[in-house]
Amino acid sequence: LRPYVSNLVVDTSLRRCGVGRRLMDACEEEAANLTDACRNIWLEVTTTNTAALTFYGALDYETVGRTAGNEVTRDANGGGFQMAPVQRCMMRKALKKS
């Protein structure tokens, strides 16, 4: 079992109010209580998402590798979406058992 956080999004009007931190605290607590075999929680962040990289770094996540893949992104004129190749940082954090 490998706990993995995917697509954490906080409404722009609620950012920098502690919502993201509380959501991650809840994810980490749930993962820590799944089984004794879970030692880490994992996530991936697009390398260009500096705000998310800073946020997860402040929560003690460490970058342990890189992956590549495709993501849905806004197209250049902002009117639609497209699949685009991206690079991601793979991050992990040691879980604390409660």
Side-chain angles (χ1 to χ4, degrees):
L1 187 62
R2 183 175 174 176
Y4 182 90
V5 176
S6 177
N7 299 320
L8 177 75
V9 179
V10 175
D11 185 271
T12 54
S13 68
L14 297 172
R15 290 183 185 160
R16 308 217 38 94
C17 296
V19 173
R21 180 177 296 273
R22 288 194 302 274
L23 288 169
M24 289 304 298
D25 286 347
C27 289
E28 292 166 12
E29 182 178 350
E30 185 68 24
N33 292 324
L34 287 173
T35 174
D36 288 337
C38 294
R39 291 191 167 83
N40 296 297
I41 187 167
W42 298 80
L43 56 84
E44 289 177 294
V45 177
T46 306
T47 57
T48 57
N49 189 345
T50 55
L53 290 167
T54 300
F55 171 72
Y56 293 118
L59 297 179
D60 296 326
Y61 282 78
E62 63 176 332
T63 299
V64 294
R66 290 197 176 223
T67 62
N70 292 312
E71 284 185 6
V72 176
T73 61
R74 289 203 178 270
D75 64 16
N77 64 16
F81 297 93
Q82 64 184 12
M83 292 299 288
V86 296
Q87 297 287 317
R88 297 182 198 100
C89 290
M90 183 183 309
M91 303 180 83
R92 75 172 173 213
K93 179 180 179 177
L95 293 169
K96 295 176 184 156
K97 300 292 182 182
S98 46

